Amino acid sequence: MSSQTSATSDSSADQASRGGIFGNIAFTVILIASSVSNIGIGMFDTSMSWLMTSLNPDPMMVSAVQVATWLPLFLLTFPAGALADLVDSRRLLIGAQVAVMAISVVFAAIVSLHWATPTILLSTTFLLGVGGAIAAPAWLLITPILVPRRDLDSAIAINNTSFNVSRAIGPALGGFAIAAISIDIPFWCYCAGNLALLAAIVWWRGPRRIRETLPAERLSSALRTGLRYALNNRDIDSTLIRAVAFFLFGSAYWALLPLVAKTQMHNGAAIYGILLGMIGVGSIVGSFALNWLKERLGPDRLAALGTVGTIAALVMYGAAREPVLATAASLVAGASWIMVMTTLFVSAQVALPDWVRGRGLAIFLTVYFGAMTLGSALWGKVASVEGLPAALYAAAGGAFLGLIVTWGRKLQTAAALDLSPAMHWRSPVFVRRVEDDEGPILVTIEYRVDPEDKAPFLAAMQEIGLERKRDGAFAWNVFEDAAALDRVVETFLIQSMLELKHLRARVTEADRAVEQRAHQYLREPPKVTFLVSPTRTRPHRRRFSAPAPAAAVEPSGAL
């Protein structure tokens, strides 16, 4: 948990003018800078893939551009998400953007001097991916800081529209710039976009930060806690499984589209740019229809519709020999992609409380980037061996099977849950002072249950076990007393006293409701005991000594 958390952005409401959300100067400036940067990114992506078709047109090498883009995002986004929960997001963004700016300028100079090679191209793509991985979770946390909570939905919609418009314009501009001027022009435009975004972030000053009362987590502990939370959250599990089933196969056209334009249709960079631009246009159209479709279909059917559209686009790309069919495929692909991506992203968002949001979204992005990395490599290999149309058709078949197999995993099931902190656990009262780094701590909770109610009580306890493990406990279990049929004991371990304090602050109102459902079967209030492991010291001489007693606390009632 961060040592600093964002102060509520509601205070920025005073900055709003009659212009509505655009009266928020910070939001407007960063929106404009991001749009310019996204146009540059679109030009850069188009030029990178096209440059590789000139340096080495083998499908494996062309798809390797996407692998080099997604691999660092897959490897580093989760640690970056934990870092974003612990440090100031603005400073993290500035550092990442400075690194990206430096790398982009060096590479643009290399291209201008005609020194580019496949190795340099892939290395540059990888390094830029590292910068993107570090910045990605921080960007997800910036918008709620920039705007008041009442404008958050509008801000997200405007950001999505701006992104889609920019990514529709950028690839087309990149393709025409390559065809009309030179291959190095898009790379210099990318540098200019990076500079604009860096200037906007440096100019922006976030709201005053409020320090947490608890000490900050260590990065290693934050990583473990984030993973533990995801592993014990069924809503996140379903979202991640559906994401893998879609992105692993949907990645095929992103990796192979340069070859569809160049080798299958025998066209140039301008057509490739138009195809990428049409994906952006399709995303815009899809985003306008998104709310209407969701109200009528619900999240699961909406994601299914997007998957079916992606399957159709893959088949159309495989059959395309003329730009008309490929352009239609791009429009369908863009609209379908935004449907699935938005539905999955919202499903991840609504399942996460604030304290783990950066890490949770980073896990979602890690799965997304991992599926895109593996898929790009896989379909590049299939295209190299079996041919381009065969790879696209196989990806379409895989997406259909993935939809069927994962249909039972429902999305956005946590939307109705209250994930605000409950803060209803009592603070333990220790006989002696227990330092934050002492532990592990064994928590035992004794319940008295009517034997006739034991079965539903134990079923409810399984849900409580998931709650405990989500919030930081490990080695959880529940035991029945064979000598007293009404006695049940719950036990779990917590790494340290500090982790116990964090765990108390992480329990949500939804968790509290689960506990109340279990407690309705109790004959009397539960009895709680905390046992602290004694500090272990390594003796200088081999000798026997009585172990130090464990530190206990007085029973303090229900947690």
Side-chain angles (χ1 to χ4, degrees), residues 126-141:
F126 183 87
L127 291 174
L128 291 172
V130 170
I134 294 172
W139 276 118
L140 296 178
L141 301 177

Side-chain angles (χ1 to χ4, degrees), residues 104-319:
S104 63
V105 169
V106 170
F107 185 72
I110 289 173
V111 175
S112 296
L113 296 170
H114 305 288
W115 292 349
T117 65
T119 301
I120 293 175
L121 188 153
L122 293 176
S123 299
T124 300
T125 303
F126 183 87
L127 291 174
L128 291 172
V130 170
I134 294 172
W139 276 118
L140 296 178
L141 301 177
I142 283 295
T143 301
I145 300 174
L146 287 172
V147 299
R149 188 173 302 168
R150 67 171 184 272
D151 291 335
L152 189 56
D153 288 344
S154 298
I156 292 173
I158 291 168
N159 279 332
N160 287 337
T161 302
S162 170
F163 176 82
N164 292 328
V165 170
S166 300
R167 297 309 295 267
I169 296 172
L173 286 178
F176 283 116
I178 294 170
I181 307 175
S182 173
I183 187 68
D184 64 326
I185 295 299
F187 296 111
W188 288 113
C189 292
Y190 174 60
C191 295
N194 285 330
L195 180 61
L197 187 57
L198 177 60
I201 300 171
V202 171
W203 165 83
W204 173 57
R205 292 290 185 272
R208 221 174 56 141
R209 319 270 301 176
I210 299 176
R211 290 191 174 275
E212 290 286 349
T213 56
L214 295 180
E217 292 179 90
R218 295 185 178 92
L219 180 60
S220 58
S221 174
L223 291 172
R224 288 195 304 271
T225 303
L227 283 173
R228 189 183 297 127
Y229 188 92
L231 289 172
N232 293 285
N233 186 316
R234 291 174 178 153
D235 303 309
I236 288 291
D237 286 347
S238 296
T239 302
L240 298 181
I241 290 170
R242 291 284 292 270
V244 171
F246 175 76
F247 293 122
L248 182 63
F249 304 102
S251 61
Y253 69 80
W254 290 104
L256 301 176
L257 194 55
L259 295 175
V260 172
K262 187 166 188 175
T263 63
Q264 186 168 289
M265 297 193 303
H266 307 289
N267 281 293
I271 293 298
Y272 172 54
I274 289 174
L275 294 181
L276 280 179
M278 288 300 103
I279 293 176
V281 172
S283 296
I284 296 170
V285 174
S287 63
F288 282 128
L290 206 56
N291 289 335
W292 184 84
L293 288 171
K294 184 177 178 179
E295 289 175 0
R296 285 154 180 79
L297 300 177
D300 291 295
R301 291 182 180 179
L302 180 60
L305 176 63
T307 303
V308 171
T310 300
I311 293 169
L314 287 165
V315 172
M316 293 165 70
Y317 279 132

Side-chain angles (χ1 to χ4, degrees), residues 480-499:
E480 298 179 73
D481 189 340
L485 296 181
D486 68 338
R487 184 170 180 261
V488 176
V489 177
E490 177 191 8
T491 67
F492 56 90
L493 285 166
I494 302 170
Q495 191 65 42
S496 66
M497 184 61 196
L498 176 59
E499 190 66 12

